[in-house]
Amino acid sequence: MQIYVLKFGGTSMADHKTWKQVLEIIKKYEHPIVVVSATARTTRQLVRAGKLAAQDKLEEALEIADEIKVRHNKIVEDFLEENPSEKKTLILDSCRKNTEAKIGKLNKLLAYTQKAGTLSPQMSDAIASMGEQISSYLLAQCGLVLGILTQHIEARKIIKTDAEYGRANPNRLLINQKCGSLETVLESGFTPIIGGFYGEAPDKTVTTLGFEGSDYTASLIGGAMSATAIEIWTDVSGVYTGDPRYIPDAQPLLELSYYDATEMAYFGAKVLHPSTLKPAQERNIPVWVKNMFEPEAEGTRIVRSSDHNREVLALSFKTEMAILTVSAYETLMGYSFLTKVFSSLKDHQLAVDAVNTTEASVTIALSDTEVLDQLSKEFIEIGHVSVERGKGLISVIGCTIDKMDGLSGRIFSALGNTKVDMISFTKEKRIVNFVVDEGETVEASKAIHQAIFTG
Ligand code: ASP
Ligand code: MG
């Protein structure tokens, strides 16, 4: 059985028109397993509602919940309006009931959060997952209208995780077991439709896999089922040499290796969740990134080895970064100083994007998070600390070292007078990172992109 796991993101799930397009794509496959995100904007709205409730603004939070309900009801109504069906009343009824029940649950979670006065990570996941819980059910119902034998599968039954709310780690062994039931669904001729992004902890509470986690769901299922391919359907024609929203001359990449694609995801090319490729890579399953709105376009194929002979692959950037520098007091240098710095990072589970070190100082580029101040306080015990916020990180990915001569010259001349706070390069990772002021990130990225790809 040739199984294809198809994942559709928020923009694909925007309204009844895109739902139709999604379902038309699904129809073309013999044995698809479908993973969907929440409809566009919903996850962000849910997160905001949770925060409002914690700030004692329950009324505003409930208004958001209501807006989500109305929007989803309308998508289904519009869908049924444009795609007549004998089962219209039945489908409309079951959709309304399901959405009503989910929003009822959401309202309870919000009320609880208000009472608690704080949004616990556990509550936050329960709230944030509602978008996928709702969208997956409704899309499955709409599939029936177009004659697709859909079956909604509750993600909690399949995506088993630990209890690290907010970025739960999947229990691969259990997921592999649970995916057995999907095979039965496929064998009976049904198309499973599953909400991405969330799963379930051992104690049956809801967890989420982190921002953009639906890709990860798709890859976990694809890996477990040894799928023929995993296809991530999005709103751009694959992975580009730069974010096409900001870099007008960005070009699509036809092929990428798992390794380079992971690095790109990590350094801000928001096409994939950074963990997405792991399960696919283990079983050597190709991952395609394709454009919903241009289904005939080839997109990008991500495979094990892609021997690119280019001097460079892509550029990505991210903002809301900070750089933190610790310089050792004279009495504390060398490895004990470095050990202290890195063990603090471990204690806070902080992911660092770039580091420069000498024996007596460490400069770290990392996302500006709430723990930054606390971290600085800890570092005062070992050295002088400075924190600069409002930074951007530009990463030039897939730089071939023996071609670096010409490349670095072009990069640096493109940077011109841009003030650079930090540079890092490692041969193994083939990445050059620059930290610049946030406000200069996009312009500098454009200039570098032009210099390395078209200059
Ligand atoms: N809806 C979730 C998010 O916005 C998960 C996803 O779309 O992948 O992060
Ligand atoms: Mg996405």
Side-chain angles (χ1 to χ4, degrees):
M1 193 161 38
Q2 297 231 318
I3 298 171
Y4 285 81
V5 179
L6 315 177
K7 180 259 170 175
F8 297 91
T11 34
S12 312
M13 294 292 289
D15 54 36
H16 69 285
K17 288 207 163 69
T18 61
W19 284 29
K20 172 90 182 273
Q21 283 170 285
V22 166
L23 291 163
E24 292 294 351
I25 291 171
I26 296 171
K27 246 183 156 173
K28 295 191 184 129
Y29 292 78
E30 200 174 348
H31 299 295
I33 297 178
V34 181
V35 175
V36 296
S37 288
T39 58
R41 303 201 311 277
T42 306
T43 311
R44 260 176 293 149
Q45 278 190 309
L46 287 163
V47 171
R48 210 169 86 79
K51 285 185 182 153
L52 285 168
Q55 293 160 8
D56 204 19
K57 295 178 186 154
L58 183 61
E59 221 165 282
E60 277 176 66
L62 294 177
E63 260 167 43
I64 294 177
D66 193 59
E67 200 190 310
I68 292 173
K69 180 172 89 177
V70 171
R71 189 164 69 233
H72 284 81
N73 281 340
K74 173 122 175 40
I75 292 179
V76 177
E77 281 157 24
D78 290 347
F79 187 92
L80 283 160
E81 191 73 32
E82 274 186 26
N83 304 281
S85 161
E86 288 164 13
K87 298 181 224 137
K88 178 174 174 169
T89 332
L90 215 68
I91 289 176
L92 204 56
D93 197 42
S94 93
C95 285
R96 281 214 187 107
K97 271 194 189 131
N98 192 276
T99 306
E100 188 72 43
K102 294 288 179 204
I103 297 293
K105 172 92 209 242
L106 172 63
N107 290 346
K108 278 194 189 135
L109 294 168
L110 293 170
Y112 175 91
T113 301
Q114 183 215 20
K115 266 204 204 107
T118 170
L119 182 63
S120 69
Q122 182 181 335
M123 269 310 129
S124 171
D125 275 7
I127 292 170
S129 68
M130 275 305 169
E132 273 78 5
Q133 294 194 38
I134 297 173
S135 68
S136 54
Y137 181 86
L138 299 183
L139 187 80
Q141 290 292 314
C142 289
L144 297 173
V145 175
L146 298 191
I148 307 172
L149 279 180
T150 54
Q151 188 166 334
H152 179 245
I153 307 283
E154 174 46 56
R156 293 166 70 170
K157 293 197 180 131
I158 310 260
I159 305 298
K160 301 291 179 182
T161 70
D162 65 7
E164 201 168 310
Y165 302 105
R167 51 169 169 200
N169 302 293
N171 181 334
R172 304 285 302 282
L173 212 65
L174 266 180
I175 293 173
N176 288 352
Q177 275 173 20
K178 302 289 174 192
C179 275
S181 63
L182 292 179
E183 214 161 303
T184 323
V185 175
L186 289 173
E187 274 163 5
S188 330
F190 285 89
T191 296
I193 302 208
I194 306 163
F197 179 50
Y198 72 101
E200 187 177 85
D203 69 354
K204 308 267 183 223
T205 52
V206 179
T207 55
T208 65
L209 301 170
F211 187 63
E212 295 279 337
S214 297
D215 296 343
Y216 198 15
T217 304
S219 172
L220 286 164
I221 294 174
M225 307 281 297
S226 288
T228 304
I230 296 161
E231 300 184 349
I232 308 288
W233 288 83
T234 172
D235 55 356
V236 284
S237 292
V239 182
Y240 278 63
T241 54
D243 188 334
R245 287 170 303 175
Y246 300 95
I247 300 183
D249 52 358
Q251 296 294 320
L253 292 156
L254 286 180
E255 194 176 83
L256 267 177
S257 66
Y258 293 120
Y259 178 84
D260 288 322
T262 303
E263 292 298 329
M264 284 181 70
Y266 190 74
F267 286 102
K270 288 217 176 65
V271 188
L272 292 173
H273 178 292
S275 308
T276 301
L277 295 166
K278 248 187 283 161
Q281 188 170 5
E282 279 165 20
R283 298 217 169 159
N284 207 11
I285 302 169
V287 176
W288 289 84
V289 179
K290 289 173 87 72
N291 188 349
M292 258 278 296
F293 305 101
E294 249 179 80
E296 303 312 325
E298 192 155 9
T300 304
R301 192 164 79 111
I302 305 170
V303 288
R304 179 173 290 167
S305 58
S306 168
D307 31 48
H308 78 86
N309 290 317
R310 286 161 289 196
E311 44 177 11
V312 59
L313 265 180
L315 172 146
S316 57
F317 65 84
K318 51 184 177 185
T319 51
E320 288 174 48
M321 301 288 299
I323 46 178
L324 181 154
T325 301
V326 205
S327 313
Y329 298 129
E330 267 170 40
T331 46
L332 191 79
M333 289 205 297
Y335 56 81
S336 70
F337 166 71
L338 293 176
T339 309
K340 288 222 165 75
V341 172
F342 289 105
S343 72
S344 284
L345 292 176
K346 177 170 174 279
D347 292 345
H348 290 286
Q349 297 192 328
L350 269 184
V352 163
D353 286 293
V355 187
N356 276 348
T357 56
T358 68
E359 80 294 349
S361 78
V362 178
T363 302
I364 303 163
L366 73 181
S367 295
D368 186 358
T369 62
E370 282 153 21
V371 287
L372 210 56
D373 289 325
Q374 203 186 329
L375 195 67
S376 327
K377 273 187 209 137
E378 285 171 30
F379 284 155
I380 286 173
E381 287 171 23
I382 52 173
H384 304 281
V385 181
S386 77
V387 174
E388 288 179 72
R389 297 185 134 97
K391 298 290 172 188
L393 176 79
I394 302 173
S395 307
V396 183
I397 293 165
C399 304
T400 309
I401 185 75
D402 51 12
K403 296 188 177 143
M404 267 316 272
D405 268 5
L407 197 60
S408 57
R410 279 174 9 241
I411 294 174
F412 281 105
S413 59
L415 273 167
N417 293 329
T418 312
K419 185 176 141 274
V420 177
D421 293 292
M422 175 181 174
I423 301 174
S424 75
F425 172 68
T426 46
K427 183 176 134 197
E428 284 69 27
K429 291 212 124 196
R430 300 187 295 132
I431 291 176
V432 190
N433 282 314
F434 298 91
V435 176
V436 299
D437 278 343
E438 193 161 62
E440 305 223 41
T441 314
V442 173
E443 281 312 310
S445 295
K446 273 193 205 161
I448 296 174
H449 186 279
Q450 197 184 12
I452 56 181
F453 291 106
T454 41

